[in-house]
Amino acid sequence: MRFFRIIGRSIKASLKSIFRNFSLSMASITCTIITLILVSIGILLSYNVNHITKEIENELTIVILLEKNVTTEEIQATEKSLKDIANVDTIKYNSKEEIKNNLAKESETYAKIIESWEEGENPLQDSFVLTVKNVKEINETATTIKNMDHVAVVKYGESMVNELIKIFDMVKNITLVLVAALILVTAFLISNTIKITIFSRRNEIEIMRLVGTSNFVIKLPFLIEGFFIGIMGAIIPVLITIFGYDYAYNHLSTVGLNNLLNVISLVKPTEIVYYVILILFGIGALVGMFGSVRAVKKHLTI
Amino acid sequence: MEFIEFKDCTKIYKNGVTGIANANLKISKGEFVFIIGHTASGKSTLIKLLYREEKPTRGSVCVGGIDVGKLRNNKVYKLRRKLGIVFQDFKLLPKLTVYENVAYPLESYGYKSSEIRPLVLRALEQVGLKDKTRSFPHQLSGGEQQRVCIARAIVNKPKLLICDEPTGNLDPETSKEIIDVINNINQELKTTVVMATHDKEIVNRMKKRVIVIKDGLIDKDIQKGCYKE
Ligand SMILES: Nc1ncnc2c1ncn2[C@@H]1O[C@H](COP(=O)(O)OP(=O)(O)OP(=O)(O)O)[C@@H](O)[C@H]1O
Ligand SMILES: [Mg+2]
């Protein structure tokens, strides 16, 4: 009971303080808004980059053409040694008969050519299509395969895709570092603005200490004030995230990227937005509280 | 054990100035003690050691069984809830009314509003300010502000009332009234009073125990003393 009375009184005091020092509170809130918008962009960006990278990676395959005249046993042996390679994820075998049939179905031109072959003649080669677990090691894997028996040709993803992935990786890392730095900067900015409000109230704090108010009770209104500032600062970024991302998703899906590179699509808003909202409120509240406690601490020692 | 006890207590400030040197002093429950001395003699230092505004550099200070010097910073409030402090500059919260100022300590301890009210009214009655509960500090005279400060100091029924020059900012007539208020508290509530002052008239009129401090040392300790020299 006593605890809740103290909390209630602290909430009252903190709201009073926010409105009494309105311009300073606004400065902290604005600062939080800017950071959280950037945090939101950062999270959405790195999340999507991650997503797109994965999609591209899934599209990357190694195609292996076997030598002509390999026997069934040799094919099986090759498949077994392919399975033994650590980086190999899935293996799909296409016999030359299957390829021939598929080609014949695909277009009339192919069908005609294939018809002109003699019965039993098949100049095509048996092949494997592999996907790998780690695209970064696709070079090494391809080299290993090339050196295996019965393997004639190894083809895999163009270097353009590899470059793209490298760039995406960089983008992701840079945004993460920037976001972390921004969060720190905001915490210090909030801490400093609250310090100014506290400075004008240091007499108040001194009196509280002299009449026997515990440090916790002195800190509480400031803690709650920081919490409110953080939450208020998160509202606009949250709205921007909800509507902005929805817009971006629909817009890019219809006109942009999707047609450009048909493997790429953004993460669905429903899959990510709630999660970002939670993070924004969480970061706002934590940064606000951290900033205010840091600011008040100095005044609580003699 | 005595209610208040200084044992070989020395306070040296960070800048090397000695505030109090080797003080040995005992004060019993219910006493009324004046601390006098020239300016910069160490009166405030002695007072501040009592409520742990300063920590002894050597030796110890005990107040009501609490070893004040050993008290951790975040436990200081436990000591301060047991004593009341009256300041020369009143230290009232300017945005709160008289009632709210006196109620403030109890509110911050988490008391119920219904528990707080009678305690506040009793304290305000004790200092003779019952009709000004809704005024703000800036609407009061110096003497009235000091009464509010005293009411706040005694609202939690402390065993010890510490005063550092409570009449320093007041004219002689008002000073007399304030001292009477404090004396009544000492008589009626049996609250121990330790008061630093350099108001000769008051000390001479009251005929209480007087401790004279000179350059940080306890020079004299006289029962029913006067302000001489
Ligand atoms: N916080 C401090 N830091 C450094 N020196 C201090 C501090 N407070 C007091 N002093 C020094 O300690 C000595 C005693 O000071 P104190 O305030 O106890 O004197 P006082 O007797 O209360 O004087 P006054 O009658 O003027 O109030 C002085 O020389 C003073 O300069
Ligand atoms: Mg002094």
Side-chain angles (χ1 to χ4, degrees), chain A residues 1-2 5-6 9 16 20 201 203-215 217-218 300-302, chain B residues 51-53 73-74 76-77 80-81 85 87 91-93 95 104-105 107-113 116 152:
Chain A
M1 266 322 287
R2 169 180 280 209
R5 267 200 299 279
I6 288 175
R9 282 167 187 160
K16 247 191 219 166
R20 206 176 272 159
R201 284 151 73 185
N203 285 334
E204 232 173 287
I205 294 177
E206 190 208 341
I207 295 170
M208 291 178 190
R209 276 186 63 81
L210 287 172
V211 302
T213 308
S214 68
N215 285 359
V217 174
I218 297 177
L300 293 181
T301 50
I302 301 174
Chain B
Y51 62 89
R52 182 42 179 82
E53 188 69 8
N73 187 48
N74 59 351
V76 169
Y77 74 92
R80 299 205 175 149
R81 282 180 190 192
I85 315 172
F87 307 93
K91 292 199 196 297
L92 299 175
L93 293 163
K95 288 164 190 158
Y104 183 80
E107 281 195 355
S108 81
Y109 307 163
Y111 283 30
K112 274 190 218 140
S113 299
I116 293 174
R152 181 181 62 189

Side-chain angles (χ1 to χ4, degrees), chain A residues 108-203:
Chain A
E108 275 183 33
T109 331
Y110 286 150
K112 276 198 187 120
I113 295 170
I114 288 166
E115 253 169 50
S116 70
W117 295 344
E118 281 171 28
E119 191 62 26
E121 184 190 349
N122 188 346
L124 297 169
Q125 289 155 283
D126 293 305
S127 72
F128 285 104
V129 178
L130 306 185
T131 59
V132 291
K133 289 170 187 158
N134 184 355
V135 178
K136 290 191 187 101
E137 286 167 22
I138 200 167
N139 277 318
E140 290 82 341
T141 310
T143 318
T144 316
I145 295 170
K146 210 170 245 166
N147 294 333
M148 280 165 49
D149 292 336
H150 317 301
V151 172
V153 182
V154 176
K155 285 189 198 158
Y156 64 99
E158 306 98 271
S159 58
M160 201 272 282
V161 175
N162 270 331
E163 286 305 307
L164 205 61
I165 288 172
K166 261 187 214 149
I167 292 170
F168 279 179
D169 254 9
M170 213 165 67
V171 170
K172 202 169 70 185
N173 290 335
I174 291 174
T175 31
L176 283 180
V177 170
L178 276 181
V179 164
L182 272 169
I183 291 175
L184 271 181
V185 169
T186 319
F188 282 104
L189 282 174
I190 290 187
S191 161
N192 283 338
T193 33
I194 291 188
K195 251 186 205 163
I196 297 172
T197 59
I198 287 179
F199 189 74
S200 62
R201 284 151 73 185
R202 66 195 188 288
N203 285 334

